[in-house]
Amino acid sequence: KLLSILSVPLRVQDRVLGAFALLDRIGRAFEAEEIALASAFADFAAMAIENARLYEETERRREAAEALAEVVRLVTLSLDPAEVSQRIVESARTLLHARAAATYLLDPDTGDLVQPAYSGDVASVFELGTVFPKGTGVVGLAMREGRPVNVRNVLESPDVVLTPALRARV
């Protein structure tokens, strides 16, 4: 049985990233030299993990910057709002690794939000031109509150207003 455990925190400066553990047979007492070696190993491992995390973060930011630059380039190729919207949703979906993306533009006469473009799986629920009446859906909530809104389950969120027709489609 492996019930003798030596655990050492994985630290980078003053942050604890996790722990490193060595397991051995019942009754083993790790020697001071082994504990020091495990601590040194944990410090090295923490530094390697942190460097990998920083590299991954840098790569994500680089990819985001490249995708945004591509969106700017694509947007300048057309003055058609539907075409620009389509290019934006395709780029955003790829960049954020989402299953779907859509844009909704405000109809100034009604206050409704109209979908000129989508990319991905959203087509199974909403076709091009879907209208969200003023204040409905997560998109209406984001417009109303003027901030990003993150909802884990649109059908269970008390903040999201859905018409019976929209609820049935979702």
Side-chain angles (χ1 to χ4, degrees), residues 6 30-40:
L6 168 63
F30 289 90
E31 302 290 329
E33 184 177 298
E34 294 171 315
I35 294 169
L37 186 58
S39 294

Side-chain angles (χ1 to χ4, degrees), residues 54-64:
L54 291 172
Y55 176 78
E56 183 179 64
E57 183 179 307
T58 300
E59 281 298 297
R60 256 194 327 270
R61 287 182 179 172
R62 182 191 58 75
E63 288 173 5

